[in-house]
Amino acid sequence: MHLGSTLNRETSLARFRDEEFDLAVIGGGINGAAAARDAAMRGLKVALVERGDFASATSSRSSKLIHGGFRYLPQGQFRLVYTALRERERLRRVTAPHLVRPIKFLFPVYRGRGFNRFTMSFGLTLYDLFARTPWAEWHSSLNSAEVRETEPALSREGLRGGATYFDAWTDDARITFENVLDADLHGAAVANYASVEGFVRTSENLWNL
């Protein structure tokens, strides 16, 4: 496959005028950028258009977390958590290890509030198993004294213990832009500061922007 050499907006605008595409992706946030990249890697001719700058809205103002959705385990959404964790690990270890880093969390447990210590430990064991977490990053159960030592500012009233576990974080705008760049490298025409103002139907199954 021939890969493009640079991300060139003027070249992409010219391609919009002169070429036909299999797929038009409107919006250069993480969802649009990832969809454009995936489609281009599958051999489709892709146009990606963003009216502002790439990752300039929601995709630059997230929590920065790449997480597996631990909170969904009590709801029984095991497949969702499993899929999210496998995607997290793929990003961390294969696709973007230079951008996705581990981050350690402390989760305190209080009497009469949320999880008890047993439920917390069971849930985090599933979490680590789903992610195939290496032993060095396996969760740790803590008693109340260990929680206070880890974070002295926490309220002590009703504190029963807690746990530490790992998720991951990233530079959200950077990972979005790298998806855009990789889409371009795989042949997509991509341009920011280019608005889609309407569609023109030129035949039964063909639309132009």
Side-chain angles (χ1 to χ4, degrees):
M1 171 185 285
H2 172 69
L3 298 181
S5 57
T6 59
L7 187 65
N8 188 303
R9 181 175 180 275
E10 294 305 317
T11 298
S12 291
L13 292 175
R15 290 182 61 191
F16 293 160
R17 292 190 295 268
D18 300 335
E19 299 180 23
E20 292 183 354
F21 296 89
D22 301 309
L23 175 68
V25 179
I26 303 171
I30 186 58
N31 290 319
R37 173 182 179 269
D38 185 79
M41 291 178 70
R42 295 171 186 270
L44 296 177
K45 290 192 67 175
V46 179
L48 172 63
V49 182
E50 164 58 46
R51 68 179 178 179
D53 202 357
F54 298 120
S56 62
T58 303
S59 294
S60 67
R61 299 164 192 164
S62 76
S63 67
K64 319 296 183 188
L65 292 179
I66 305 289
H67 65 90
F70 177 66
R71 62 179 176 162
Y72 296 114
L73 283 177
Q75 302 173 18
Q77 298 190 50
F78 301 116
R79 183 178 294 276
L80 172 64
V81 175
Y82 176 82
T83 300
L85 284 169
R86 300 311 305 147
E87 288 297 324
R88 185 196 76 184
E89 292 303 290
R90 184 176 294 110
L91 282 167
R92 184 179 164 193
R93 304 183 188 282
V94 180
T95 309
H98 59 301
L99 294 177
V100 180
R101 310 289 187 186
I103 182 171
K104 192 174 186 178
F105 286 90
L106 170 65
F107 202 132
V109 174
Y110 287 90
R111 182 174 54 250
R113 285 192 263 167
F115 305 113
N116 59 42
R117 290 183 64 189
F118 173 79
T119 303
M120 172 72 73
S121 179
F122 178 74
L124 287 174
T125 296
L126 286 179
Y127 206 62
D128 287 336
L129 288 172
F130 286 170
R132 301 175 190 171
T133 302
W135 185 251
E137 296 179 5
W138 197 264
H139 78 275
S140 296
S141 294
L142 307 177
N143 59 35
S144 57
E146 290 170 325
V147 172
R148 291 195 301 270
E149 182 179 352
T150 303
E151 183 46 76
L154 283 174
S155 172
R156 298 188 177 194
E157 184 178 353
L159 181 64
R160 303 301 300 270
T164 58
Y165 70 98
F166 281 91
D167 256 315
W169 68 277
T170 189
D171 181 329
D172 47 11
R174 172 78 183 276
I175 202 169
T176 300
F177 183 73
E178 290 212 5
N179 274 270
V180 173
L181 180 61
D182 208 30
D184 172 79
L185 290 172
H186 285 86
V190 302
N192 54 359
Y193 298 102
S195 297
V196 175
E197 297 181 352
F199 300 89
V200 176
R201 188 168 187 168
T202 57
S203 68
E204 183 175 352
N205 296 310
L206 183 62
W207 294 79
N208 287 343
L209 299 182

